[in-house]
Amino acid sequence: MSKHSKSQSTFAFENASTNVAASQMRNALNSLVDSVPPETDAKERERFEHNMDSFFSLFRRYLNDKSSALTLDWEKIRSPSKDEVVHYSSLPDAPETNKAFSKLAVLKLNGGLGTSMGCVGPKSVIEVREGQSFLDLSVRQIEFLNRTYDTDVPLLLMNSFNTDRDTEIIVKKYQSHRITVKTFNQSRYPRIFKDNLLPVPQSADDRLDAWYPPGHGDLFESIVSSGVLDQLLEEGKEILFVSNGDNLGATVDPKILNHMIESGSEYIMELTDKTRADVKGGTLINYDGSVRLLEIAQVPKDHVEEFKSIKKFTNFNTNNLWINLKAIKKLVESNTLQLEIIPNQKTITIGNSEINVIQLETAVGAAIRYFNNAHGVVVPRSRFLPVKTCSDLLLVKSDLFNLQHGALVMNPARFGGAPLIKLGSHFKKVSSFQARIPHMPKIIELDHLTVTGNVYFGKGIQLKGTVIIVCSDGQKIDIPNGSILENVVITGNLQILEH
């Protein structure tokens, strides 16, 4: 079959549909603004109205993108040049008395809940090591930095409406520490019904699941509109180091900070080498002569396997980013940032029905093409240590890492990278994980661990080589205290009887 381009009548029909959808959305958003209770604080009312205006701009771009069917031309994709991606090993060491820290602020993306790991509240308060949470470790790292270099690097937390209240209470415990913690909220946007593209919420105070935080690409708009960016500039800050709150490898690196200042770059993205576990991660490319982030959602279906290849696209985005604050202000105020829209489909329950909804999101990494002299730095894998699951939690709690001033450092006795750990659904929730593995096994010599089914670990266990434990349905396996498991497969049923 030959491939026909759209006819003029098709374009006219789609433009008319787009205009109707935009008009209906504008009217619905105006109604939401009108529904704000009269007793609401003026600043809150203004912020809500600003959110609805920003969402409308995003929605209108979404409609236009849909009707124009803009896609990347695969033939134009090139590998980035040596200037566009440099290796960490080529960066010069930073001066020992590094004055660059006075120009730095650190931001953790703190909008996520711990629900995927069975926890209530912000994910950043999950205990990860020696009774300390993600947030505790971040505070310890920066407090150590401030003491060591006699500087004042602040910690910023970008919260969502889901995490803001709990975080505000939690950060009070750091008031006596040598660190300034600032928080601000990202936008709150309405989810839209998939079938009619109208907002789910009927009023400004409608149920929580009618709204969503629009992804970390909202950082730019929110840090400016909250007034936090202007505060940082007044304090002499120039560079923002951004990372995911659950990436325990994302510590302040003086070499990258110094390189950013010396190179005059407005934006640096940390990349690390792909493994077969990272094949879906976004990567930097050269497209039409400029550096861009390529995400799997943008890849044509017939090129997805090529994108996943670790030979052609050798590294991926860690979401550790170094960004110039003045450049952010200039780009936001000139309305230049037009980040690719990621439609994320969800379902919510209304009455007894499951309803399909869409939330329009953007990613902070997609902004790289708007900044001057933007480039990637390929960093060691140790700077990418995310904790997304309880399998990751076992890794970071184990003897594989030592804790130094809030940072996890690979045990020098370990040879090679981290082992591959796969825990089954019985270990999905943190509470279940803690009940089944109350004492961390020693894994310094482990290569691969798979555990599925109703399995419990005793005290003083060592795992070496490849260990696979599969418990049959309806059965139970107890791994006895002091067991040394090396290159074994355990299946079926094994229970320790008390005498």
Side-chain angles (χ1 to χ4, degrees):
M1 285 179 67
S2 61
K3 195 172 180 181
H4 296 286
S5 58
K6 289 182 181 178
S7 66
Q8 289 297 319
S9 60
T10 304
F11 273 121
F13 175 80
E14 288 181 350
N15 283 340
S17 300
T18 295
N19 290 338
V20 168
S23 176
Q24 289 178 331
M25 177 60 77
R26 183 68 269 180
N27 291 337
L29 295 176
N30 289 342
S31 296
L32 286 175
V33 171
D34 291 340
S35 73
V36 175
E39 65 274 14
T40 304
D41 176 76
K43 276 192 174 179
E44 279 298 305
R45 176 187 291 273
E46 187 181 331
R47 178 166 172 76
F48 182 78
E49 192 168 344
H50 180 76
N51 277 345
M52 294 308 99
D53 288 343
S54 297
F55 174 75
F56 181 65
S57 296
L58 187 70
F59 178 74
R60 200 164 49 184
R61 280 207 298 121
Y62 168 68
L63 293 176
N64 290 335
D65 289 352
K66 268 181 66 178
S67 63
S68 60
L70 290 173
T71 55
L72 287 175
D73 182 349
W74 194 256
E75 300 306 315
K76 290 183 179 180
I77 291 174
R78 300 283 180 270
S79 296
S81 69
K82 289 180 180 178
D83 292 334
E84 290 167 337
V85 172
V86 300
H87 280 262
Y88 181 83
S89 58
S90 71
L91 305 184
D93 289 332
E96 281 194 30
T97 54
N98 200 334
K99 294 180 181 176
F101 290 126
S102 64
K103 301 177 180 180
L104 180 68
V106 173
L107 184 144
K108 294 289 182 181
L109 300 167
N110 189 50
L113 292 169
T115 46
S116 64
M117 294 173 73
C119 296
V120 177
K123 186 178 181 182
S124 59
V125 301
I126 294 175
E127 181 196 322
V128 287
R129 185 79 188 216
E130 297 176 16
Q132 295 172 74
S133 67
F134 290 104
L135 197 48
D136 292 333
L137 294 179
S138 294
V139 168
R140 278 190 64 187
Q141 290 165 23
I142 297 173
E143 187 176 32
F144 175 72
L145 187 76
N146 286 340
R147 289 188 189 280
T148 303
Y149 293 95
D150 191 25
T151 189
D152 61 344
V153 175
L155 174 63
L156 280 65
L157 302 172
M158 184 171 83
N159 302 329
S160 67
F161 62 87
N162 290 317
T163 62
D164 180 55
R165 187 172 296 175
D166 288 339
T167 303
E168 283 292 334
I169 295 167
I170 292 158
V171 298
K172 287 178 181 174
K173 72 177 182 178
Y174 306 123
Q175 286 176 349
S176 61
H177 293 248
R178 183 167 171 168
I179 185 172
T180 301
V181 182
K182 301 173 189 273
T183 65
F184 65 96
N185 261 12
Q186 68 175 119
S187 304
R188 181 178 72 136
Y189 285 173
R191 283 173 163 163
I192 55 178
F193 291 112
K194 186 181 178 183
D195 58 355
N196 63 12
L197 298 184
L198 287 171
V200 172
Q202 299 299 300
S203 64
D205 57 358
D206 208 336
R207 45 190 272 180
L208 272 185
D209 66 357
W211 309 88
Y212 73 100
H216 40 61
D218 183 56
L219 162 65
F220 303 108
E221 173 72 30
S222 293
I223 197 170
V224 172
S225 63
S226 65
V228 169
L229 186 134
D230 282 336
Q231 287 174 24
L232 293 173
L233 291 174
E234 284 171 18
E235 293 165 9
K237 305 303 176 187
E238 297 176 17
I239 295 168
L240 190 65
F241 173 46
V242 179
S243 63
N244 294 341
D246 62 8
N247 181 5
L248 293 176
T251 58
V252 171
D253 189 292
K255 277 177 67 167
I256 301 176
L257 174 61
N258 201 54
H259 168 68
M260 184 167 185
I261 294 168
E262 293 296 317
S263 65
S265 173
E266 291 183 346
Y267 189 115
I268 288 176
M269 175 183 289
E270 292 186 35
L271 309 165
T272 197
D273 290 339
K274 261 189 185 183
T275 67
R276 297 195 185 279
D278 315 305
V279 292
K280 293 183 179 179
T283 190
L284 282 190
I285 57 169
N286 181 293
Y287 189 83
D288 272 348
S290 65
V291 68
R292 283 174 70 157
L293 179 67
L294 176 65
E295 299 276 14
I296 193 166
Q298 298 168 279
V299 177
K301 285 183 182 177
D302 50 342
H303 290 284
V304 167
E305 289 309 309
E306 190 180 346
F307 174 81
K308 288 181 179 180
S309 165
I310 61 176
K311 291 180 180 177
K312 178 164 183 174
F313 299 102
T314 57
N315 44 55
F316 70 99
N317 171 26
T318 64
N319 222 36
N320 298 348
L321 308 166
W322 302 75
I323 313 175
N324 183 281
L325 290 166
K326 287 181 181 174
I328 293 176
K329 184 175 173 70
K330 180 182 71 177
L331 290 167
V332 170
E333 290 183 347
S334 62
N335 199 29
T336 302
L337 291 170
Q338 302 285 302
L339 307 184
E340 286 82 2
I341 297 169
I342 307 160
N344 195 348
Q345 298 196 31
K346 301 278 185 179
T347 57
I348 60 171
T349 304
I350 299 179
N352 296 319
S353 302
E354 291 284 307
I355 306 295
N356 293 320
V357 298
I358 298 172
Q359 49 192 53
L360 305 179
E361 301 177 8
T362 58
V364 64
I368 189 168
R369 63 192 177 112
Y370 293 102
F371 289 82
N372 294 324
N373 195 17
H375 60 278
V377 173
V378 181
V379 298
R381 184 78 186 196
S382 57
R383 291 189 58 74
F384 183 68
L385 191 59
V387 180
K388 304 290 184 189
T389 65
C390 287
S391 300
D392 300 328
L393 200 56
L394 173 57
L395 204 63
V396 299
K397 279 179 172 284
S398 74
D399 62 337
L400 200 66
F401 294 97
N402 299 323
L403 190 61
Q404 294 179 8
H405 310 296
L408 291 183
V409 179
M410 183 76 80
N411 189 326
R414 173 70 181 181
F415 179 76
L420 184 63
I421 295 177
K422 295 180 179 179
L423 301 180
S425 57
H426 284 70
F427 296 81
K428 186 175 182 181
K429 294 182 177 180
V430 172
S431 56
S432 303
F433 168 85
Q434 290 171 335
R436 293 173 181 280
I437 313 181
H439 309 282
M440 287 302 110
K442 292 185 176 180
I443 64 170
I444 203 77
E445 296 178 56
L446 178 69
D447 297 322
H448 179 111
L449 172 68
T450 294
V451 184
T452 62
N454 189 24
V455 180
Y456 286 81
F457 287 74
K459 189 187 291 188
I461 291 170
Q462 293 183 53
L463 305 175
K464 302 180 180 184
T466 297
V467 178
I468 298 172
I469 305 170
V470 180
C471 183
S472 309
D473 284 348
Q475 303 293 320
K476 182 183 180 187
I477 292 179
D478 284 313
I479 306 298
N481 293 342
S483 297
I484 299 175
L485 306 181
E486 182 171 5
N487 295 324
V488 294
V489 177
I490 298 173
T491 60
N493 179 37
L494 173 67
Q495 291 192 47
I496 308 303
L497 300 176
E498 295 292 338
H499 294 289

